């Protein structure tokens, strides 16, 4: 079955950087949009960044200019480069993608397991 496998989370000091990766695995026919969400303690899950199949990107205002989303279609992987990290960025970060499995008829939405990002002051 199709899975999204995340890596790169951890603890970093304010002003530092982290690079998150999310690789889609399994029998995949195609991948459409991919994006990153995050959920801080006591808050709603929010969309952080998105990227289309052709590479068009979008960002939330809170991360614009600091985060960069990218993808490698040959590796079925989406990345989130996070620079100038702030304590307010502390959250569980989730990968999300619309994927058409080879055994299926069309797109389904998939979530990664989430990876913790903690930014200390």
């Amino acid at each position: 079955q199709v899975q999204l496998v995340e890596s790169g989370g951890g603890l970093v000091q304010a002003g530092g950087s982290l690079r998150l990766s999310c690789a889609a695995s399994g029998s995949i026919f195609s991948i459409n949009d991919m994006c990153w969400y995050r959920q801080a303690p006591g808050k709603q899950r929010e969309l952080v960044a998105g990227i289309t199949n052709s590479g068009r990107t979008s960002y939330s205002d809170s991360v614009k200019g600091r985060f960069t989303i990218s993808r490698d279609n040959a590796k079925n992987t989406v990345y989130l480069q996070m620079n100038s990290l702030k304590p307010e960025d502390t959250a569980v970060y989730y990968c999300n993608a619309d994927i058409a499995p080879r055994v299926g008829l069309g797109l389904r939405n998939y979530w990664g397991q989430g990876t913790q990002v903690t930014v200390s002051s």
Side-chain angles (χ1 to χ4, degrees):
Q1 68 276 14
V2 173
Q3 289 183 307
L4 296 176
V5 182
E6 298 169 310
S7 62
L11 175 65
V12 66
Q13 292 185 349
S17 298
L18 285 173
R19 183 177 174 88
L20 305 183
S21 300
C22 175
S25 62
S27 183
I28 295 171
F29 177 74
S30 64
I31 303 177
N32 198 10
D33 294 350
M34 306 184 82
C35 58
W36 289 93
Y37 287 77
R38 68 184 182 187
Q39 188 166 21
K43 300 186 67 177
Q44 290 279 87
R45 188 172 299 186
E46 65 172 342
L47 178 63
V48 175
I51 185 167
T52 68
N53 191 43
S54 62
R56 183 176 299 169
T57 60
S58 60
Y59 301 91
S60 68
D61 289 340
S62 62
V63 308
K64 195 173 299 181
R66 299 188 297 120
F67 292 9
T68 303
I69 188 171
S70 61
R71 65 192 290 168
D72 185 338
N73 290 334
K75 297 180 178 180
N76 291 332
T77 299
V78 63
Y79 306 94
L80 186 67
Q81 178 67 47
M82 305 186 294
N83 298 324
S84 301
L85 283 162
K86 306 173 181 179
E88 308 93 270
D89 296 317
T90 295
V92 178
Y93 284 71
Y94 297 91
C95 180
N96 180 268
D98 292 325
I99 301 172
R102 297 226 281 228
V103 297
L105 296 177
L107 294 171
R108 296 180 180 180
N109 188 255
Y110 294 85
W111 287 94
Q113 78 286 352
T115 184
Q116 177 71 48
V117 172
T118 302
V119 184
S120 63
S121 59

